[in-house]
Amino acid sequence: MKQQYKVLLVDDEPDILELLQYNLEKEGYLVRTALNGRKGVEEARAFQPDVVLLDIMMPEQDGVETCRQMRDMSELQNSYIIFLTARAEEYSEIAAFDVGADDYIIKPIKPRALMSRLTALFRRETKKKKNSNKINVGELVIDRTSYTVNIGEQQVTLPRKEFELLFFLAQNPNKVFSRDDLLHNIWGSDVYVLARTVDVHIRKVREKIGEGYITTIKGVGYKFELN
């Protein structure tokens, strides 16, 4: 039986919610909606969606703060958060990725293109699960089957993209990857994000697991250090 994925739509424009809900349900997704950020957080906690599609400019609470709160929720640790927004400024995109967004799409929304994007996202996810394994480096244990990271007895919580970035680098120890390499392998070729997004995620991973694992090769990129 085909898995039925859950999608939460958070936008203050009822017409956009109605359009996206119609197209998503037609493709077999389970859908819930919210008209503002606060309600979106409540719905996310109850619904535990696989994907959140989130606007930035909303009443009561904007999308960036909403994303930050969702990323602090254990229920959404493995959920994708994708911004759908009219805000095309670079600083807005950086702010979105800084709080844990997985993708950033500029309105106007093309429903068919969005459906294709979600299909590709879940196809990659299924492929990753089939190739699940565990990496042990000293006290550091990275387990893709459970999406957990442990340092000794302490479990560290990483949002999905931070986890995938760490796992990819650790799976290829002592090999240097440019930002473009990492964007292609972690975010995919069908997603446009800024190169700075990699730097933001690397910084966050280092804050959580320590500075000794991922090395910056100036002017080139990053590598996972294995002595």
Side-chain angles (χ1 to χ4, degrees):
M1 183 178 177
K2 185 179 177 181
Q3 181 175 349
Q4 196 169 25
Y5 292 104
K6 297 187 290 185
V7 180
L8 173 62
L9 305 173
V10 188
D11 199 303
D12 65 331
E13 297 184 54
D15 290 347
I16 289 179
L17 291 180
E18 184 178 348
L19 174 66
L20 292 180
Q21 183 170 12
Y22 170 78
N23 282 276
L24 286 162
E25 290 179 342
K26 193 167 72 169
E27 293 295 320
Y29 293 99
L30 292 173
V31 182
R32 287 193 189 177
T33 64
L35 282 165
N36 61 65
R38 291 186 190 279
K39 185 64 176 175
V41 171
E42 293 174 11
E43 287 286 352
R45 185 170 285 109
F47 188 43
Q48 298 182 26
D50 299 292
V51 176
V52 179
L53 300 177
L54 181 64
D55 191 17
I56 285 186
M57 296 182 292
M58 292 184 293
E60 296 192 38
Q61 181 170 286
D62 68 25
V64 172
E65 178 58 28
T66 299
C67 181
R68 180 184 287 110
Q69 292 182 18
M70 288 181 176
R71 280 297 177 223
D72 287 338
M73 296 163 55
S74 59
E75 299 94 331
L76 268 65
Q77 182 180 345
N78 295 323
S79 300
Y80 290 97
I81 299 180
I82 300 173
F83 277 87
L84 301 177
T85 176
R87 299 292 292 270
E89 311 93 347
E90 182 176 319
Y91 68 82
S92 294
E93 186 171 349
I94 290 170
F97 284 114
D98 201 28
V99 293
D102 295 297
D103 199 355
Y104 192 93
I105 302 172
I106 305 297
K107 292 177 179 177
I109 299 160
K110 298 176 182 177
R112 289 181 63 185
L114 178 60
M115 298 308 117
S116 296
R117 210 153 178 162
L118 291 177
T119 298
L121 183 152
F122 288 122
R123 188 186 300 124
R124 290 198 303 270
E125 182 65 20
T126 301
K127 184 177 179 181
K128 286 173 186 174
K129 286 181 178 177
K130 288 180 180 177
N131 297 321
S132 299
N133 55 12
K134 184 184 290 187
I135 296 173
N136 293 267
V137 181
E139 289 194 325
L140 181 67
V141 180
I142 312 166
D143 188 352
R144 186 185 258 164
T145 58
S146 59
Y147 266 76
T148 56
V149 176
N150 285 77
I151 302 175
E153 298 297 317
Q154 179 185 4
Q155 186 170 105
V156 179
T157 301
L158 298 181
R160 184 184 292 269
K161 279 293 183 282
E162 291 175 26
F163 179 92
E164 290 176 358
L165 183 58
L166 174 61
F167 189 91
F168 178 79
L169 287 169
Q171 205 174 29
N172 300 277
N174 298 323
K175 182 176 179 179
V176 181
F177 291 93
S178 69
R179 290 171 178 81
D180 286 343
D181 291 333
L182 295 172
L183 285 171
H184 176 76
N185 282 282
I186 306 304
W187 280 267
S189 57
D190 56 335
V191 176
Y192 174 75
V193 293
L194 298 170
R196 174 173 157 71
T197 301
V198 174
D199 301 332
V200 170
H201 281 70
I202 291 286
R203 172 173 56 79
K204 287 179 170 291
V205 171
R206 283 172 169 162
E207 286 173 357
K208 293 169 184 175
I209 69 168
E211 297 284 337
Y213 295 101
I214 300 175
T215 301
T216 301
I217 308 301
K218 192 172 182 180
V220 182
Y222 298 99
K223 71 173 179 177
F224 189 91
E225 200 76 52
L226 188 61
N227 299 317

